[in-house]
Amino acid sequence: MLFEVDVEKKIGDFSLQVDFSLSEKKCGIFGPSGSGKSTLMHILAGLLKPDKGKIVLDGVPLFDQKRKINLSPQERRIGVVFQHAHLFPHMNVRRNLLYGWQRTPPQERRGTPEAIIKVLNLEHLLERGVNSLSGGERQRVALGRTVLSWPRLILMDEPLTGLDRDLKFQIIPYLRDVLEQFDIPFLFISHSLQEIRLMTDEVLVFEEGRLQARLSAEELARRRLVTERRGYANLLRLPSPEPHGDLWSYRWGGTELILVEPGEKGDNLFELGAKDVTLFKQHPVATSARNLLPCQVSDLFGGGNRIGVELTCNGGQLISQIVPESVRELDIRKGMEVVAVIKASAFRRLY
Amino acid sequence: MLSLTPQDIQAIALSVKVATAATLFSLPFGFGAAYLLVFTRIPGRAVLEGVVNLPLVLPPVVVGYLLLLLFGQSGTFGPVLSLLDLRIIFTLKGAVIASAVVGFPLLVRSIRIGMDGIDNQYLQAARTLGAQWWDILYTIILPLSGRAILAGMTLMFARSLGEFGATIILAGNIPGVTQTIPLAIYEYTNTPGGDSMALSLCLVSIGLSFIVLLISEATARSFKKR
């Protein structure tokens, strides 16, 4: 996929002016509310006409002010998952799901409704009215409805905002699975750093209608170590656990981690706050923490009163967040050997 | 106490016939007008809105007289009508047209309220799913304004049952041809000793209106269930 966007739009006092091209399949658009994310989404989908510029998807111009091209939303084949699902209230789940499918030329369809319904786990809901669905179910149906119209690109406008924490993490695996399995590129719009990191690889950062930065999701998280209230969070993908007394042991790279929370068979995603990783210069003699990992300092970043220490531990990578005073006292430098100490209860399972 | 003459029964039948015909005849136009007013930005929208609503504020007698000027033998459409061998004034057609014009604003207003209540984002969602405007009209707007359409039809039907001013001017008061319930009541009240007959027809009128309300409520409820 190659998506080239160069547009300008003025709405009252607000002006949006962006110029970027994308080839990555999992892209994020990150920015605070009012930064123009939603305006951009409406422009890309064809629901709002830009003042000037052009939008080209895989060589096909969707909008070109100079050549007077402005394809309608129905001609663009760009799917949208809205923040509030917007399921058609007079149709049941099945008819909602098939709405786009029935309007897609057969040669464009790349999978059957049954396959999507299965991946999204919607079999038992098909005959239900949409007003009886929970927030998470509604969003899954909305995603299925959009995927079944087999768009060339899906725009997701804060699809997880408004869902509670647990629901959010229930839905993310579905989102990832279905988009990966059917190979549909997407632009994920969000103001939540965590969602952006879980969903995307490449991120465009917006502020006041302008593109401020373009970087990887990981890089964005590291840069925001100083500004994010919660600091940096390590995301660890851990396989099926083994019982370890009344705790659980997970393989992580070449080492083992001891956690309080049991996970499920297959992949589990855990969050570990960087500030929960304590550094010792030497192996402590005795500690209540269950994880003592000998590591090497591979990088130092951040600023102000928060320093991120990148640690390489037997193949795995971990960020510890400490204060500058500790860096000076322990004389932490690149290449130095330290011991990272983590409590078994510091890990939080996301999904 | 409810005693009806054959002429009364004819008037009742005519009333139902005129109201039904006027409502059904106006429905597609009413839906179209409401759609244009709510969903499009055509030039002259304000004018259209004014024309549609005018019969609501004009005295029905004035509407009837204007219609007479349009459809009379020497009226604007007179030559066309005589060419087609059509007669509007003093016929059932005239009664239907009078009712249709007077009730039209009520129909359009109801449907508009329903259409205004449709979240624009449903339409946006449908567009991004590949639906053309006529497709959206049929699959989203029409079903979602179903209750409003029904309410509009009820209002209009009830208004047509009671239509008097425009009808008496355009269609006259001819028993068995254009004499509907209100016209028959009017005639009774002008006849010495016609009071009890007028009352009988009033009761019929109340009964009819009540039945219309009941049917509309029941249908609206079944809409809600779906």
Side-chain angles (χ1 to χ4, degrees):
Chain A
M1 181 199 73
L2 181 62
F3 195 31
E4 297 156 272
V5 179
D6 176 7
V7 290
E8 277 177 43
K9 173 87 187 168
K10 249 182 107 71
I11 306 170
D13 285 342
F14 176 78
S15 90
L16 178 85
Q17 194 177 354
V18 288
D19 183 1
F20 61 87
S21 78
L22 289 177
S23 52
E24 294 80 6
K25 289 219 152 131
K26 299 175 186 175
C27 267
I29 292 186
F30 178 76
S33 39
S35 58
K37 305 187 302 282
S38 264
T39 308
L40 178 67
M41 194 276 299
H42 279 82
I43 286 175
L44 298 181
L47 297 169
L48 192 65
K49 194 178 163 198
D51 298 335
K52 51 178 144 178
K54 59 180 178 179
I55 305 171
V56 182
L57 178 57
D58 289 327
V60 182
L62 305 180
F63 175 82
D64 192 330
Q65 184 232 351
K66 285 199 187 106
R67 287 161 63 192
K68 298 214 182 308
I69 297 173
N70 184 20
L71 295 190
S72 62
Q74 54 270 31
E75 292 167 314
R76 292 193 184 194
R77 304 187 42 74
I78 290 185
V80 181
V81 179
F82 295 90
Q83 183 180 341
H84 303 289
H86 295 306
L87 300 178
F88 303 130
H90 57 298
M91 302 181 187
N92 64 13
V93 171
R94 182 194 299 278
R95 286 184 58 212
N96 262 288
L97 282 170
L98 295 181
Y99 194 88
W101 162 263
Q102 287 157 345
R103 287 158 181 80
T104 306
Q107 68 272 14
E108 303 276 358
R109 299 173 182 165
R110 279 168 283 145
T112 61
E114 290 72 31
I116 301 287
I117 289 166
K118 194 157 184 284
V119 180
L120 291 172
N121 189 19
L122 294 170
E123 288 103 331
H124 58 295
L125 300 175
L126 289 176
E127 305 308 325
R128 291 260 292 272
V130 296
N131 296 323
S132 66
L133 301 179
S134 70
E137 288 166 343
R138 295 175 70 83
Q139 220 39 289
R140 261 152 59 202
V141 175
L143 176 68
R145 183 176 71 171
T146 302
V147 169
L148 277 170
S149 66
W150 298 111
R152 295 186 286 193
L153 169 74
I154 290 188
L155 307 174
M156 288 189 265
D157 187 13
E158 307 253 7
L160 305 174
T161 308
L163 300 180
D164 64 40
R165 209 191 80 92
D166 287 348
L167 264 178
K168 199 183 273 194
F169 297 122
Q170 271 172 34
I171 292 184
I172 287 175
Y174 287 119
L175 279 175
R176 293 180 59 106
D177 283 358
V178 83
L179 296 168
E180 233 159 74
Q181 193 171 329
F182 296 98
D183 197 28
I184 305 175
F186 65 85
L187 257 176
F188 186 89
I189 298 166
S190 178
H191 66 264
S192 152
L193 179 61
Q194 191 184 41
E195 288 173 15
I196 288 274
R197 284 183 73 198
L198 292 173
M199 288 298 302
T200 67
D201 300 332
E202 180 91 2
V203 189
L204 306 175
V205 182
F206 273 77
E207 229 163 273
E208 290 172 357
R210 302 286 183 282
L211 182 59
Q212 287 298 332
R214 179 177 181 159
L215 34 84
S216 73
E218 175 61 27
E219 187 57 38
L220 175 69
R222 289 189 184 199
R223 277 205 200 172
R224 294 184 65 89
L225 169 100
V226 184
T227 52
E228 255 334 89
R229 194 168 54 85
R230 292 168 54 222
Y232 179 93
N234 291 287
L235 296 175
L236 306 174
R237 212 164 275 285
L238 303 176
S240 319
E242 298 283 335
H244 180 94
D246 49 5
L247 299 174
W248 300 88
S249 130
Y250 295 78
R251 278 228 75 76
W252 181 60
T255 52
E256 225 175 34
L257 293 173
I258 306 297
L259 273 64
V260 171
E261 265 193 274
E264 277 168 22
K265 272 206 160 60
D267 253 3
N268 295 284
L269 190 75
F270 283 92
E271 186 185 61
L272 169 65
K275 58 184 188 303
D276 293 332
V277 181
T278 313
L279 299 184
F280 282 73
K281 218 166 176 177
Q282 275 132 25
H283 205 286
V285 182
T287 167
S288 62
R290 292 297 88 194
N291 297 289
L292 296 119
L293 312 170
C295 325
Q296 194 176 37
V297 175
S298 43
D299 198 11
L300 289 161
F301 60 92
N305 59 6
R306 294 180 185 181
I307 302 291
V309 182
E310 187 192 88
L311 306 165
T312 309
C313 327
N314 215 344
Q317 217 175 49
L318 215 56
I319 304 286
S320 166
Q321 180 191 320
I322 56 178
V323 293
E325 199 177 311
S326 313
V327 176
R328 283 194 297 276
E329 233 174 77
L330 271 70
D331 191 24
I332 290 176
R333 279 167 287 109
K334 245 190 229 184
M336 188 179 147
E337 301 286 338
V338 289
V339 177
V341 175
I342 311 159
K343 295 174 77 167
S345 57
F347 297 85
R348 206 170 64 135
R349 184 164 178 266
L350 299 183
Y351 62 81
Chain B
M1 75 177 256
L2 197 70
S3 60
L4 297 167
T5 64
Q7 195 184 319
D8 293 344
I9 292 176
Q10 246 179 354
I12 295 167
L14 263 177
S15 273
V16 173
K17 217 162 140 184
V18 168
T20 309
T23 308
L24 292 180
F25 174 73
S26 303
L27 185 58
F29 298 100
F31 186 80
Y35 178 82
L36 286 179
L37 289 174
V38 175
F39 293 109
T40 64
R41 277 188 220 132
I42 48 161
R45 230 186 70 139
V47 177
L48 175 68
E49 190 162 3
V51 171
V52 165
N53 282 324
L54 209 53
L56 200 62
V57 286
L58 279 181
V61 178
V62 173
V63 174
Y65 188 70
L66 291 175
L67 287 174
L68 194 62
L69 290 182
L70 281 179
F71 293 109
Q73 258 143 2
S74 51
T76 318
F77 298 141
V80 185
L81 291 172
S82 63
L83 206 72
L84 296 168
D85 203 18
L86 269 175
R87 222 178 105 90
I88 301 288
I89 52 164
F90 303 126
T91 64
L92 185 69
K93 288 190 202 79
V96 172
I97 289 177
S99 283
V101 171
V102 171
F104 194 66
L106 295 173
L107 180 70
V108 175
R109 277 185 165 244
S110 286
I111 300 177
R112 257 187 86 167
I113 291 170
M115 285 182 175
D116 273 330
I118 299 175
D119 191 338
N120 187 35
Q121 291 185 291
Y122 292 136
L123 313 186
Q124 292 191 338
R127 293 180 76 193
T128 63
L129 290 168
Q132 305 288 345
W133 70 267
W134 42 265
D135 190 355
I136 294 174
L137 177 67
Y138 182 69
T139 56
I140 311 285
I141 295 173
L142 191 61
L144 285 182
S145 46
R147 289 187 64 184
I149 292 173
L150 194 73
M153 287 174 72
T154 313
L155 264 181
M156 179 159 181
F157 189 84
R159 179 68 186 82
S160 302
L161 279 182
E163 191 358 73
F164 177 83
T167 310
I168 200 162
I169 300 238
L170 190 68
N173 189 356
I174 308 163
V177 181
T178 64
Q179 191 179 63
T180 54
I181 299 174
L183 298 174
I185 293 174
Y186 172 70
E187 199 179 305
Y188 278 130
T189 54
N190 282 334
T191 317
D195 287 357
S196 70
M197 307 296 276
L199 187 63
S200 299
L201 273 182
C202 283
L203 290 176
V204 170
S205 193
I206 293 170
L208 261 179
S209 308
F210 203 63
I211 290 168
V212 172
L213 277 180
L214 283 181
I215 292 175
S216 125
E217 280 295 311
T219 330
R221 222 171 296 131
S222 81
F223 255 93
K224 217 177 198 171
K225 243 179 248 162
R226 273 196 295 147

